[in-house]
């Protein structure tokens, strides 16, 4: 079968296919029923959108069948879906909806309180789990794909407006066209050998690009079914996989660590899963996951922007992501000069010996598939400079051209004039068997630059043993002399964003202020509780060196482990520190 040029074509191919196509709890819809439901919604949308308006609709839903149906409907109609993040609140939430010029907003009763009091002029709100919604759809029940379009869908038709999860400033809505989404789906079909009998388990939030681009799209392109989970659940993961016969799933952030933290069972390998695809699992956790569950995790690299891609090959070394794809000319460069960094030199135990010279920002010097941000020329110009696409991610490469992820540019630390990458330190700390999750970030140094701080979420029933942790650090051959954390915060569960990535902004804001389970390393390398006495002494150092303004904000003291709008994955406690 030839590759489709648009997502609309892929949806149309489902017509007449009566195999199971969508699973959710006790609901099973055939591929044909999905295409039929999408056609009905496309026809409704064509009647609802005012003439002359942008063909955009917002979707404020958990991972329910309606989300998938509206994605397909938008493709058929030639419209674009803006995924609306339900962890946003108030003016920020309204801004996301209005910025993307959504004239129709699809939501459910569970999320209606989020809209209370918001000014959303010209926005029609449809609530999916109501009789009014069913009545609104009923007249369109006989629609077929292609009956109602806002404009003939083509490869260049906007399909997604997905907000990027930046740590500062208002989120930017990355544009993804039907052609790019269809091509991304087909690429993963080819890479993983997606079969028509496969079932893709979608437990990551569908308002984020990972779930749609890396999970929903390849299922659609390969004729496979999808199984939806309303929200990620570590305790419900294997039960879902078995119930739906899932063979493929995607992950981001710390989801893998949550799964590894569940109690081990003798039947952990009794399931149909054959592959997981995602980012930021880390080599240690990937190995643990394969050993326990018998499932290979494949680390990929990409983003909603689609500006660069790295492909994993069978000869990819442990710890590396892969090489540049054939279409890309990727380089690791000095962000200030644009000069290419030197190749990495490794020592005993894989220790990176020349991080300061090897680590740089990954850029794509070739033709980039980046399609821009919605109505944000300033962000476009920052992303594409001098004809290059700047990813905002730190990497290093070995002499054979394999690329290794070293974190985000904002996650870089400068300790005693030496540049360090948070991701590299995290990979080392992840080996500590007492840790269920780790995060590394910068806090200010009283003299200059940064100090290393780590947040550790411990396994169930384990208490922090400072002596054992210090001994563990001494035993790591690839832990550089500047990498050992000066401060350690013990958290009950790692704070994450709505897309299951570590909420580093909240951790940085918490800093090393007392009033929580924070430990500091003394000159002998021992970890001692960080209390008021230590804070007073450290404050004096900052004042002595004229850097007291770095401690002047009341935000850190007021935070006390409760940054706004953080969550800790399924069943995670709301309080932060133990």
């Amino acid at each position: 079968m030839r590759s489709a040029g648009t997502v609309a074509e892929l949806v149309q191919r489902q017509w007449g296919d009566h195999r199971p196509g969508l699973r959710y709890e006790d609901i099973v819809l055939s591929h044909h029923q999905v295409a039929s439901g999408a056609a009905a919604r496309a026809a409704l949308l064509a009647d609802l959108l005012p003439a002359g308006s942008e063909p955009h609709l917002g979707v404020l839903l958990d991972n329910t069948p309606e989300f998938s149906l509206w994605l397909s409907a938008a493709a058929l109609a030639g419209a674009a879906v803006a995924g609306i993040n339900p962890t946003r609140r108030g003016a920020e939430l309204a801004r996301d909806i209005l910025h993307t010029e959504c004239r129709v907003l699809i939501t459910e009763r569970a999320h209606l309180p989020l809209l209370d009091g918001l000014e959303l002029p010209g926005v029609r709100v449809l609530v999916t789990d109501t009789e009014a919604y069913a009545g609104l759809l009923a007249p369109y029940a006989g629609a077929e794909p292609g009956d109602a379009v806002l404009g003939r869908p083509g490869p260049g038709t906007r399909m997604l407006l997905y907000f990027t999860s930046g740590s500062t400033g208002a989120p930017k809505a990355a544009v993804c066209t039907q052609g790019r989404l269809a091509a991304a789906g087909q690429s993963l079909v080819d890479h993983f050998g997606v079969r028509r009998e496969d079932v893709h388990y979608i437990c990551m939030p569908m308002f984020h690009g990972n779930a749609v681009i890396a999970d929903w799209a390849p299922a659609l392109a390969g004729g496979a079914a999808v199984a939806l989970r309303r929200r990620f659940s570590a305790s419900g993961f294997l039960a879902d996989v078995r119930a739906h016969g899932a063979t493929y799933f995607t992950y981001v952030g710390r989801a893998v660590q949550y799964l590894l933290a569940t109690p081990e069972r003798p039947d952990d390998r009794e399931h149909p899963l054959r592959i997981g695809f995602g980012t930021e699992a880390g080599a240690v956790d990937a190995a643990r996951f394969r050993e326990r569950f018998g499932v290979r995790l494949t680390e990929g690299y990409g983003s909603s922007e689609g500006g660069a891609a790295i492909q994993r090959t069978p000869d990819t070394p442990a710890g590396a992501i892969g090489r540049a794809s054939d279409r890309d000319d990727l380089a690791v460069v000095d962000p200030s000069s644009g000069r290419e960094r030197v190749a990495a030199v490794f020592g005993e135990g894989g220790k990176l010996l020349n991080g300061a010279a090897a680590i740089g920002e990954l850029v794509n010097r070739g033709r980039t598939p980046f399609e821009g941000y919605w109505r944000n020329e300033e962000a476009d110009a920052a992303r594409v400079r001098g004809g290059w696409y700047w990813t905002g991610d730190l990497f290093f490469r070995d002499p054979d051209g394999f690329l290794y992820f070293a974190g985000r540019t904002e996650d870089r630390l400068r300790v005693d004039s030496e540049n360090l990458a948070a991701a590299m330190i995290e990979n080392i700390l992840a080996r500590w068997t007492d840790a269920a999750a780790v995060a590394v970030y910068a806090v200010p140094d009283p003299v200059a630059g940064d100090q290393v701080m780590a947040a550790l979420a411990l396994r169930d029933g384990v208490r922090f043993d400072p002596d054992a942790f210090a001994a563990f650090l001494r035993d790591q051959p690839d832990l550089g002399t500047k990498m050992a954390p000066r401060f350690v915060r013990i958290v009950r569960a790692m704070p994450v964003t709505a897309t299951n990535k570590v909420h580093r902004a909240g951790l940085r804001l918490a800093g090393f202020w007392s009033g929580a389970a924070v430990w500091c390393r003394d000159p002998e390398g021992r970890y001692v509780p960080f209390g008021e006495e230590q804070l007073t002494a450290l404050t004096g150092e900052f004042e002595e060196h004229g850097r007291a303004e770095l401690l002047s904000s009341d935000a850190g003291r007021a935070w006390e482990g409760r940054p706004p709008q953080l969550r800790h994955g399924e069943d995670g406690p709301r309080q932060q520190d133990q």
Side-chain angles (χ1 to χ4, degrees):
M1 182 182 294
R2 68 177 180 84
S3 298
T6 65
V7 180
E9 283 184 65
L10 295 174
V11 177
Q12 289 168 348
R13 287 180 183 178
Q14 293 182 295
W15 191 261
D17 184 346
H18 297 285
R19 297 176 302 122
L22 188 153
R23 298 174 178 272
Y24 173 77
E25 297 179 352
D26 296 329
I27 298 171
V28 179
L29 300 179
S30 69
H31 289 282
H32 178 83
Q33 287 173 311
V34 170
S36 176
R41 286 158 180 78
L44 171 61
L45 182 65
D47 285 347
L48 289 181
L49 283 176
S53 66
E54 293 292 348
H56 298 171
L57 65 146
V59 178
L60 177 60
L61 295 171
D62 290 334
N63 291 359
T64 64
E66 287 290 343
F67 206 132
S68 183
L69 289 168
W70 275 105
L71 283 171
S72 295
L76 292 177
V81 168
I84 306 300
N85 183 343
T87 68
R88 302 271 281 172
R89 295 292 187 274
E92 292 182 344
L93 179 62
R95 177 263 174 197
D96 292 350
I97 298 166
L98 298 177
H99 171 67
T100 45
E101 301 181 50
C102 297
R103 301 302 296 272
V104 174
L105 177 66
I106 313 298
T107 190
E108 55 189 311
R109 286 183 291 181
H111 292 319
L112 279 179
L114 300 179
L115 305 178
D116 286 347
L118 297 190
E119 294 292 333
L120 298 173
V123 179
R124 175 79 177 269
V125 178
L126 306 185
V127 185
T128 58
D129 47 350
T130 62
E131 292 183 4
Y133 177 76
L136 198 61
L137 267 178
Y140 303 94
E144 297 186 10
D147 280 357
V149 295
L150 300 163
R152 185 172 181 82
T157 301
R158 284 191 302 276
M159 173 70 202
L160 303 176
L161 294 169
Y162 267 24
F163 288 101
T164 60
S165 52
S167 59
T168 59
K172 303 177 290 291
V175 174
C176 179
T177 60
Q178 290 212 24
R180 180 158 75 87
L181 185 58
Q186 187 59 52
S187 175
L188 291 173
V189 167
D190 297 338
H191 187 70
F192 291 122
V194 175
R195 307 163 300 194
R196 283 165 57 84
E197 59 269 26
D198 279 329
V199 177
H200 285 211
Y201 181 53
I202 303 179
C203 55
M204 296 292 101
M206 295 182 74
F207 65 79
H208 189 249
N210 169 277
V212 174
I213 297 171
D215 212 341
W216 183 82
L220 187 64
V226 296
L228 307 179
R229 173 83 188 197
R230 176 177 280 273
R231 294 178 185 174
F232 172 74
S233 168
S235 61
F237 181 85
L238 276 184
D240 268 3
V241 163
R242 294 175 180 129
H244 297 304
T247 56
Y248 171 106
F249 78 105
T250 60
Y251 58 86
V252 296
R254 297 300 179 237
V256 168
Q257 291 179 334
Y258 285 125
L259 292 171
L260 288 170
T262 59
E264 293 190 30
R265 294 170 53 94
D267 60 351
D268 277 343
R269 283 175 167 249
E270 296 176 13
H271 56 74
L273 271 182
R274 61 187 180 91
I275 196 163
F277 176 54
T279 61
E280 301 177 12
V284 172
D285 285 332
R288 289 173 178 167
F289 197 88
R290 186 165 190 170
E291 179 180 356
R292 175 174 169 184
F293 298 108
V295 178
R296 175 171 59 96
L297 298 184
T298 299
E299 286 282 297
Y301 175 77
S303 65
S304 299
E305 292 95 333
I310 297 175
Q311 292 184 339
R312 188 174 187 86
T313 54
D315 58 340
T316 299
I321 301 296
R323 301 178 192 259
S325 67
D326 293 338
R327 72 164 190 257
D328 292 332
D329 177 15
L330 301 186
V332 178
V333 304
D334 181 333
S336 59
S337 68
R339 287 193 291 269
E340 194 160 356
R341 292 294 201 179
V342 301
V345 177
F346 298 102
E348 181 183 356
K351 180 179 180 180
L352 180 63
L353 301 179
N354 63 336
I359 296 172
E361 184 171 351
L362 185 72
V363 299
N364 188 352
R365 302 179 297 196
R367 183 177 179 182
T368 173
F370 174 59
E371 295 171 311
Y373 297 109
W374 178 251
R375 302 216 189 284
N376 197 332
E377 294 181 0
E378 182 179 350
D380 288 347
R383 186 64 74 186
V384 180
R385 308 191 304 274
W388 294 358
Y389 177 86
W390 296 74
T391 65
D393 291 322
L394 298 173
F395 274 79
F396 57 94
R397 62 174 177 83
D398 66 19
D400 296 319
F402 289 101
L403 293 160
Y404 298 71
F405 180 67
R408 298 283 298 170
T409 51
E410 61 262 32
D411 294 333
R412 187 169 215 169
L413 303 87
R414 189 164 180 81
V415 179
D416 293 340
S417 300
E418 183 174 332
N419 292 320
L420 304 176
M424 296 181 63
I425 305 174
E426 288 176 350
N427 288 339
I428 296 171
L429 299 187
R431 301 169 191 159
W432 194 40
T433 55
D434 283 356
V438 302
V440 170
Y441 46 98
V443 291
D445 182 89
V447 179
D450 306 316
Q451 300 176 94
V452 180
M453 186 161 186
L456 302 177
L458 304 180
R459 299 189 181 280
D460 288 344
V462 173
R463 296 188 65 83
F464 181 63
D465 184 336
D467 295 333
F469 181 67
F472 159 79
L473 294 179
R474 289 193 296 270
D475 289 341
Q476 304 312 302
D478 52 346
L479 186 74
T481 58
K482 310 295 185 185
M483 290 182 174
R486 171 74 188 280
F487 298 96
V488 174
R489 178 184 290 275
I490 305 303
V491 298
R492 281 196 173 185
M494 194 62 65
V496 294
T497 66
T499 56
N500 288 304
K501 294 184 178 181
V502 170
H503 198 299
R504 297 180 192 278
L507 289 170
R508 282 192 291 265
L509 182 64
F512 41 68
W513 284 272
S514 60
V518 175
W519 299 71
C520 63
R521 184 166 50 90
D522 67 14
E524 284 73 42
R526 298 171 302 191
Y527 284 90
V528 298
F530 186 71
E532 288 295 334
E533 180 180 345
Q534 288 77 13
L535 176 61
T536 300
L538 187 63
T539 300
E541 290 186 58
F542 276 91
E543 292 173 346
E544 179 184 352
H545 294 283
R547 285 166 65 86
E549 72 279 0
L550 297 178
L551 302 177
S552 62
S553 173
D554 291 331
R557 290 181 182 272
W559 188 78
E560 292 180 350
R562 294 185 296 277
Q565 300 175 29
L566 290 192
R567 64 189 189 89
H568 301 279
E570 74 95 21
D571 303 331
R574 288 292 175 179
Q575 75 188 77
Q576 177 95 356
D577 300 297
Q578 66 178 32

